[in-house]
Amino acid sequence: MVFLSPDETLAAITAAFLGGALFGRIVWRRQVYDARIKTAADALLRRAEDQFRLVHDSSPDCVALLHPVKNQHGATDFQFVYLNPASQEFTGRDPRALIGRLVGETLPRAGELRAMRALAELAERGQSYRDEFQLDTSGTRPGRWVALTAVRIDDAIAVTLSDVSSRKQAEAMLAASNAELERRVQQRTAELAEARERYRLLAEHASDMISTHALDGSFTY
């Protein structure tokens, strides 16, 4: 058993106190540093979210942020987390009324689109997806053509819908023009072949001599 003198005991107590105080100061400074880092990170996150909303709120395209969930039947559905104002032109619904609701409940016909199945696979595999399809084909007027682009961001899916009806109409007009041009070329080719055949029959049965020559004077017929 070791006995310390009064001076040694005081020195030991002083060292322990100073060591504890130093350790406590280190822990306190660490907590303050972590708090500042968290505050700065939260500020950057809020600024990024504000910029995201500012950009997409002014976009003419429909921008939606979806969270994959399982519906009552165990199938993959998607919950609206964010919708920009332009989404109303595509969904026909007020964006504020859709936030927090499921796509399958609010847009029943969406389940008929192959894009919904692709989004379910996207939620699992994380690959980007792009497709084009036509909306409102059941009416008397032709439905709008929409281009859908989807990417996974963490545990959510960002979806963009763009109206490409003008491009599709231009493509259809170009295809029709090319088909008409091809028809006319085939018709003209057939007319030329028929004219050549008539010329050949006339030449073969003529009583006079008929010949054709190349530029060097050699006979070609």
Side-chain angles (χ1 to χ4, degrees), residues 68 78 117-130 149-158:
F78 297 92
R117 295 189 294 271
L119 291 181
E121 295 180 0
L122 174 62
E124 298 177 359
R125 302 179 183 179
Q127 298 177 349
S128 60
Y129 175 75
R130 178 175 173 81
T149 304
V151 294
R152 193 174 75 176
I153 303 176
D154 295 331
D155 59 345
I157 295 178

Side-chain angles (χ1 to χ4, degrees), residues 40-63:
D42 291 342
L44 289 175
L45 179 60
R46 287 193 299 270
R47 182 179 180 184
E49 291 176 349
D50 292 341
Q51 291 177 341
F52 172 87
R53 291 181 179 276
L54 179 62
V55 171
H56 293 295
D57 281 353
S58 59
S59 173
D61 299 331
C62 169
V63 180

Side-chain angles (χ1 to χ4, degrees), residues 103-136:
V103 174
E105 295 177 355
T106 54
L107 305 174
R109 293 192 59 191
E112 303 173 6
L113 301 175
R114 63 176 180 268
M116 289 297 293
R117 295 189 294 271
L119 291 181
E121 295 180 0
L122 174 62
E124 298 177 359
R125 302 179 183 179
Q127 298 177 349
S128 60
Y129 175 75
R130 178 175 173 81
D131 192 14
E132 293 183 355
F133 51 89
Q134 197 170 15
L135 295 176
D136 306 326

